[in-house]
Amino acid sequence: MEDSVATSSKVSTTETKNNAQRGSLLIAYLSVFIDMLGLSLIIPIIPFLAIRFGANAASLGYIYASYNGAQMISVPVTGWLSDSYGRKPLIMASLFGSFAGFLVQGMATDIVTFCMGRVITGIFGGSVPIVNAYIVDTVPQKLRPKYFAQLGAVIIVAFMFGPGIGAGLAQFTLQTPMLVACGIAGMGFVVAALKFKEPEKVKKTNKRMIADSKNKKGGGKLGNDDDDNYDADDAQELGQHGGDAGVEKAKPEYQAPILCMFFISFCFALAFSGYLYFSGLLLFDLFGWESLEFGFVAMGASIWMVIHQTSTFVAFQKKFGKHASLMLGACFMGLGLFAMSAWGGDVRSFTGVPLVVLSVGTLAFGVAFVQPSITCKRRRRRRKKKKKKN
């Protein structure tokens, strides 16, 4: 009788812990969704807001660069801070920073203030690596691909519907999408403060790393033999160690492929951002299209990309492999971007709406192949490395 009561109590405790974990994961996903939705909401708005501020194409580049530059600095630091101080403080900081950044952007009356809001949003918008770390902390290794896929789906959904929603909200005022994003971020911050639970593994791992650091300085044995909560594979998977213990540097034979993948990723990001950031201004200049038309073009491209990423890409890469998928996607991206250079003339002629739809659709098809191919190549390289080690 006592054994059954103890077993029942243990099961109940486990279920409660799992429910709390799932709730925290949902909040973590929410923080990523808010960051990505806020980013995608204002994609069709920024070119026209910049025109209202009297900005030219160069100034528009500065607006976009202010966010991306802040992201480039903050994302690596965010990973280290989340390892040192925990996931919850960084999730809350991300949501509060998004709230403040979107508020500044929504209230801005000149380009300098607007850029300041973009910098604030960029600095605090590094929620993706934090959530990746949280998944590693709380989910068994075999189940992680499922949760990483869910995180990817959250990002895709935000970019699928964000531009269309932003374009619709902009029919009230151009500032409305930013203020709506600000309100969503504020609600997310309150929910995270009340419901988000810090994983126990982070606390134990931090204690282990501190002990490793002290023992290393004292010449003693690294780690604690009875601490089975520290998983070196977890740290390797994230690429965030928080210390020198267990860090495995890339071997010489892997350095060239890694640099090659970095270069391919950079070229892909450069090409795609050129379309994303400046096609709205081009459409306005050629056809007089404003935020509503551009928003639906961007949303249509995102939906088209998701359709092919979840169907055509999967079938093609199974039959022909990841190299072929990457090369095919790059060819279609180049073709789509080249076709954009022929936009112009009457909106009803072939170089008007038909060519816009054809070129953007071709580009989106290429992105649907290139993006997952790069991710698959990285994962394959990591798996090969682990097999060699074993």
Side-chain angles (χ1 to χ4, degrees), residues 21-22 35 42 46 61 73 79 81 102 121 125 130 156 186 218 224 239-240 242 253 255 301 304 308 321 340:
Q21 208 172 82
R22 281 194 289 270
D35 281 342
I42 63 177
I46 289 180
I73 296 169
L81 289 173
F102 288 130
T121 308
I130 305 171
I156 288 170
N224 190 350
Q240 298 165 350
E253 61 265 31
Q255 288 177 355
W304 185 247
H308 286 292
M340 288 180 187

Side-chain angles (χ1 to χ4, degrees), residues 8 43 70 97 101 114 165 181 218 286 305 344 347 388-389:
S8 176
I43 284 172
F114 190 78
I165 295 171
L286 294 175
M305 182 179 70
V347 71
K388 240 183 178 181
K389 185 180 175 184

Side-chain angles (χ1 to χ4, degrees), residues 265-289:
S265 300
F266 173 78
C267 291
F268 162 72
L270 184 66
F272 186 63
S273 62
Y275 147 73
L276 196 64
Y277 294 158
F278 293 100
S279 56
L281 198 61
L282 182 61
L283 289 169
F284 175 76
D285 187 52
L286 294 175
F287 307 124
W289 289 5

Side-chain angles (χ1 to χ4, degrees), residues 330-380:
C331 289
F332 271 89
M333 279 189 69
L335 187 61
L337 290 168
F338 180 77
M340 288 180 187
S341 64
W343 289 356
D346 184 16
V347 71
R348 291 169 293 184
S349 67
F350 175 75
T351 55
V353 172
L355 188 59
V356 169
V357 173
L358 183 63
S359 57
V360 172
T362 303
L363 173 66
F365 180 84
V367 172
F369 273 62
V370 171
Q371 193 174 36
S373 295
I374 291 173
T375 304
C376 288
K377 291 298 292 178
R378 286 172 180 164
R379 285 185 172 274
R380 186 182 176 191

Side-chain angles (χ1 to χ4, degrees), residues 27 30-31 34 91-92 95 182-194:
I27 296 169
L30 175 66
S31 69
I34 288 169
I91 287 286
M92 291 178 62
L95 290 166
C182 171
I184 295 172
M187 289 187 291
F189 174 80
V190 173
V191 173
L194 297 175

